[in-house]
Amino acid sequence: MDIQGLTHAYLPVKKKDSPATHKFALENVSFPVISGEIFGLLGPNGGGKTTLFKILSTLLFPTSGNAQILGEDLIRSPENVRRKIGVVFQAPSLDNKLTVYENLTHQGHLYGLLGGTL
């Protein structure tokens, strides 16, 4: 994985009696992760870890910069990146009103999986 200049700015926030300003969650983040390397991402609350994770898992696009993940371009081929990575969320993302099958089908559809029915 090679991350080059990733920046993510949230939309400008206008506060009373002051100009609108961007809030940067990430600003010009660059680093490589070598194949086979164990890599940890540590930082304080509000440091941009979740935003970076969302970008690398294709749930959010960066404002600028790019990343190569397993040979795939994050911006040009997010669908190819999704096919090659696995994501386990910290909090459950299941809908308790749906059956297991319905939850799996719904999650699959979010990623473009349109397999047959059982």
Side-chain angles (χ1 to χ4, degrees), residues 1 4 8 12 26 38 78 80-83 100-101 106:
M1 177 168 57
Q4 295 296 318
H8 185 75
L26 299 171
I38 296 174
N80 291 341
V81 170
R82 283 186 219 115
R83 286 185 187 106
V100 171
Y101 178 80
H106 173 67

Side-chain angles (χ1 to χ4, degrees), residues 29-118:
V29 174
S30 299
F31 60 88
V33 178
I34 299 164
S35 180
E37 180 177 46
I38 296 174
F39 181 85
L41 185 62
L42 304 173
N45 291 344
K49 299 178 302 292
T50 299
T51 300
L52 178 61
F53 180 77
K54 286 180 178 180
I55 290 170
L56 296 178
S57 60
T58 73
L59 297 175
L60 184 68
F61 282 105
T63 304
S64 63
N66 202 352
Q68 295 284 323
I69 300 176
L70 298 169
E72 300 292 345
D73 185 286
L74 181 74
I75 304 300
R76 292 187 190 120
S77 303
E79 64 285 347
N80 291 341
V81 170
R82 283 186 219 115
R83 286 185 187 106
K84 292 185 174 186
I85 65 172
V87 176
V88 178
F89 294 99
Q90 182 175 342
S93 58
L94 300 176
D95 185 333
N96 291 329
K97 294 179 182 176
L98 299 178
T99 66
V100 171
Y101 178 80
E102 290 168 334
N103 270 289
L104 290 171
T105 301
H106 173 67
Q107 292 294 324
H109 287 168
L110 293 175
Y111 284 91
L113 300 175
L114 302 173
T117 59
L118 295 177

